[in-house]
Amino acid sequence: MTLIKIGTRGSDLALWQANFVKSELQKLGCKVEINIIKTQGDKIQNLSFDKLEGKGFFTKEIEDALLSEAVDLAVHSHKDLETNQPEGLEVVAVSDRANPADILLIQKDAYDASKNLGLKEGAIVGTSSARRKALLTAFRPDAKIKDLRGNVPTRIDKLRQRNYDAIILAKAGVSRLEIDLSDFHVEVLKPQEFIPAPAQGVLGLQIRLNDEKTRAVVSKMNNPDVKSLINIERGVLNKLNGGCQLPLGVYAEKIDGKFEVWTALGQEDGSLRRLQSTFEKEEGAADSIITELKKKF
């Protein structure tokens, strides 16, 4: 029986993801162990993402463990991965996609159905994502943005403590953890409008390039249709040389055999460049989007 050692962060969501992959691997006849690894992003809780140095601050330590053969498989939120893989590593499979939308959790006394996004005038909104800040500012310039760090339950607890009128989270993470949200109004933001991070809602399964034994099993979990979509999304991110600090949203769907792609890029002056594109095939789509974005500068 093949033994696969999974490396993961220790947050509730990361452990849900690792245990989900463990269950799928067990169905394929593997024995699986989970090793928890602390990353820079977990250790530094007092800075917003756009203030942290470099890229890959939720992944580097896990990738190092993979390279040193301490683990055989890294399970990541795909959106946290750098678009250029470290030498010797490869994302060999991507999962099915959970709902890619962002959600607003709004205090019930801060909800205003007559206003865009359901937020009352001048609402204090928690997020540390450069992308979410840029989109929120474009939709609701009156909103006051306040940094918010921590894992998903911690962020929701900070909302319960009334440090914010609302916070923005990924729907996939909240759904996976089955958190009771009955205290709040939940506003699901359409991904074609409030555009998610590239590969949001998708797990990336990363192995060593030369580990054929692990590849043979893990590659069976790959969803090729999802991979095509996120290749476009992450291709745009890669060509902009971006990481979590870049105020970029890219979301792709396959509709009637064509790729529909929505892109938003925050500008230094606080404005937002938006683009909707249609492509017959995956190849060249990211290059075309970059060309069009540059025309809008």
Side-chain angles (χ1 to χ4, degrees):
M1 183 181 285
T2 303
L3 171 64
I4 295 179
K5 290 177 283 185
I6 292 176
T8 178
R9 294 169 62 204
S11 72
D12 291 352
L13 181 56
L15 287 171
W16 183 97
Q17 294 172 172
N19 278 296
F20 169 79
V21 172
K22 176 181 177 179
S23 172
E24 294 299 302
L25 288 170
Q26 286 171 332
K27 290 175 192 172
L28 294 170
C30 299
K31 184 180 177 186
V32 186
E33 293 176 3
I34 291 177
N35 294 6
I36 295 173
I37 299 163
K38 205 153 195 177
T39 68
Q40 180 195 12
D42 297 312
K43 293 170 187 171
I44 302 173
Q45 290 290 324
N46 61 329
L47 294 175
S48 66
F49 300 138
D50 47 2
K51 305 286 194 305
L52 286 168
E53 291 292 326
K55 303 178 197 170
F57 38 79
F58 285 124
T59 58
K60 185 180 183 300
E61 289 81 356
I62 300 172
E63 291 174 333
D64 289 346
L66 199 50
L67 287 166
S68 71
E69 301 189 15
V71 299
D72 307 303
L73 170 65
V75 178
H76 303 280
S77 289
H78 208 322
K79 66 186 177 68
D80 293 338
L81 280 170
E82 288 194 56
T83 54
N84 293 316
Q85 287 287 285
E87 190 173 346
L89 298 183
E90 178 186 2
V91 175
V92 75
V94 303
S95 69
D96 296 348
R97 189 171 213 168
N99 190 321
D102 279 332
I103 58 172
L104 263 170
L105 301 186
I106 307 172
Q107 303 280 11
K108 288 186 174 173
D109 59 6
Y111 174 63
D112 185 341
S114 70
K115 302 281 190 192
N116 199 3
L117 308 183
L119 291 168
K120 72 175 186 181
E121 191 73 21
I124 298 168
V125 182
T127 180
S128 287
S129 156
R131 171 187 61 85
R132 288 171 178 152
K133 289 175 181 178
L135 284 160
L136 183 63
T137 300
F139 278 99
R140 288 294 303 270
D142 60 294
K144 298 174 178 66
I145 298 171
K146 185 176 169 185
D147 275 330
L148 173 66
R149 290 292 313 278
N151 59 38
V152 172
T154 299
R155 294 185 204 191
I156 293 173
D157 282 344
K158 289 178 179 179
L159 181 62
R160 289 191 202 282
Q161 293 158 17
R162 303 195 68 84
N163 295 324
Y164 307 87
D165 293 313
I167 63 174
I168 311 175
L169 298 169
K171 188 177 193 313
V174 177
S175 297
R176 284 166 175 159
L177 293 176
E178 299 180 340
I179 295 171
D180 178 13
L181 303 177
S182 58
D183 290 351
F184 311 111
H185 173 81
V186 181
E187 190 83 5
V188 180
L189 306 174
K190 290 181 181 176
Q192 299 86 350
E193 296 172 4
F194 202 97
I195 301 171
Q200 187 155 303
V202 179
L203 306 183
L205 308 186
Q206 187 184 40
I207 67 167
R208 288 182 298 281
L209 267 173
N210 60 2
D211 185 355
E212 294 304 326
K213 183 181 73 171
T214 304
R215 177 192 302 275
V217 181
V218 176
S219 61
K220 293 176 183 174
M221 296 175 62
N222 185 53
N223 183 323
D225 295 330
V226 171
K227 192 161 195 315
S228 287
L229 296 173
I230 68 168
N231 281 349
I232 296 173
E233 296 171 7
R234 285 173 57 80
V236 176
L237 180 66
N238 177 265
K239 292 173 192 303
L240 290 170
N241 194 31
C244 293
Q245 304 99 320
L246 191 69
L248 173 74
V250 191
Y251 175 60
E253 282 184 14
K254 193 88 173 277
I255 301 172
D256 296 332
K258 296 181 180 179
F259 293 96
E260 294 285 342
V261 190
W262 294 264
T263 308
L265 180 63
Q267 307 298 299
E268 287 184 9
D269 64 2
S271 65
L272 195 69
R273 304 287 190 208
R274 297 179 69 92
L275 194 64
Q276 183 176 350
S277 320
T278 305
F279 303 100
E280 297 285 342
K281 55 184 182 177
E282 171 195 327
E283 292 74 25
D287 286 312
S288 296
I289 289 166
I290 294 296
T291 301
E292 287 302 311
L293 277 177
K294 287 181 175 172
K295 282 182 190 173
K296 287 176 171 277
F297 285 125

